[in-house]
Amino acid sequence: MTITITAFERSPDGGQGLARDTRVRWALEEVGQPYEVRLVSFRAMKEPAHLALHPFGQIPTYEEGDLALFETGAIVFHIAERYAGLLPKDANARARAITWIFAALNTVEPPILELSTARILESDKPWTKERLPLVEDRVRNRLHQLSDRLGDADWLDGGFSAGDLIMVSVLLRLRSSGILNEFPNLSDYVARGEARPAYKRAFAAQAAINKPPAG
Ligand code: GTB
């Protein structure tokens, strides 16, 4: 059955792989499933055809036969459940890997998104200069905890899983802030994720659409 996902017609990040279709592409590459991409403009995202797939008018979405999904976490979880390669077989190890998906999205990502909002959308506000250090420290607190848990392991719980895929994707959004470099084991963890052939294919596929032409 053909899998079709949606992605930005042109991502505002110019091909850095930060838009969330990259997470879905990466998951599909890890499990070896081919997929098609329907590119949507910001305007089309808010029109009825897309809203029928995604009630909040965003990307990515996922279609497979008569199944239509939205929310990256749910999509990656579905891919990991349906195709082998992203979740361990052992029931307890599987439950722990799923826990890391939720931890990445519900506990680690919120302060990181808050930081992006403060740095990008609120940069011109008079109170941002005073607030930014507080927001950065909230991110640091989470990273300290995550760094302590990861220790010198390669991945969060045994072999690479969907939990690592989402966690690495979440941490990647921090790169431009420089904060990730304060935690060498987390920087190395992210680099291990980026070095995976499946990530490289996913990154290259989105970059091919979004990178501004050279010259
Ligand atoms: N919770 C949803 C999920 O995980 O799927 C959030 C989806 C989401 O935020 N989608 C964004 C979107 O469609 C694109 S990924 N935005 C358009 C809109 O809301 O109108 C978020 C994103 C966008 C841009 C960058 N960037 O340029 O660096 C990074 C991440």
Side-chain angles (χ1 to χ4, degrees):
M1 214 168 310
T2 306
I3 294 171
T4 304
I5 68 167
T6 50
F8 282 134
E9 189 175 57
R10 186 156 284 275
S11 176
D13 73 358
Q16 290 178 64
L18 298 175
R20 292 174 195 224
D21 58 292
T22 305
R23 304 175 186 191
V24 175
R25 292 171 186 271
W26 186 6
L28 288 166
E29 293 288 353
E30 288 284 351
V31 301
Q33 286 300 309
Y35 61 95
E36 291 179 2
V37 184
R38 193 168 60 249
L39 301 177
V40 283
S41 64
F42 276 94
R43 204 182 66 189
M45 261 181 251
K46 311 300 175 199
E47 286 174 355
H50 189 77
L51 286 170
L53 292 172
H54 197 308
F56 308 114
Q58 297 183 312
I59 61 99
T61 58
Y62 176 100
E63 292 156 82
E64 185 180 19
D66 56 10
L67 175 68
L69 296 174
F70 60 97
E71 280 299 328
T72 322
I75 295 170
V76 170
F77 180 48
H78 166 77
I79 294 167
E81 287 263 274
R82 181 157 293 191
Y83 305 104
L86 279 172
L87 285 174
K89 286 200 170 60
D90 172 77
N92 286 354
R94 197 176 180 91
R96 289 195 303 273
I98 294 165
T99 300
W100 279 115
I101 300 179
F102 281 89
L105 295 173
N106 287 351
T107 304
V108 179
E109 190 165 48
I112 293 176
L113 291 182
E114 191 59 31
L115 179 61
S116 299
T117 305
R119 290 180 73 222
I120 300 164
L121 299 181
E122 298 169 354
S123 62
D124 58 341
K125 301 285 184 264
W127 32 262
T128 290
K129 202 162 166 251
E130 200 175 349
R131 184 165 175 266
L132 204 53
L134 303 176
V135 179
E136 286 175 346
D137 279 347
R138 276 186 215 127
V139 172
R140 281 193 185 93
N141 284 342
R142 276 287 173 264
L143 295 195
H144 266 299
Q145 294 165 321
L146 184 65
S147 168
D148 286 349
R149 171 53 79 101
L150 180 67
D152 58 8
D154 279 356
W155 306 114
L156 288 165
D157 192 305
F160 177 82
S161 77
D164 293 297
L165 186 152
I166 297 288
M167 189 66 83
V168 167
S169 303
V170 163
L171 295 177
L172 271 166
R173 286 203 67 174
L174 267 183
R175 182 166 275 154
S176 63
S177 74
I179 295 180
L180 196 58
N181 295 334
E182 297 171 25
F183 301 86
N185 70 333
L186 294 182
S187 294
D188 291 351
Y189 171 66
V190 168
R192 271 191 294 282
E194 289 177 295
R196 292 180 71 82
Y199 177 82
K200 288 185 180 171
R201 289 193 294 274
F203 183 90
Q206 66 74 36
I209 296 163
N210 293 308
K211 264 205 176 130

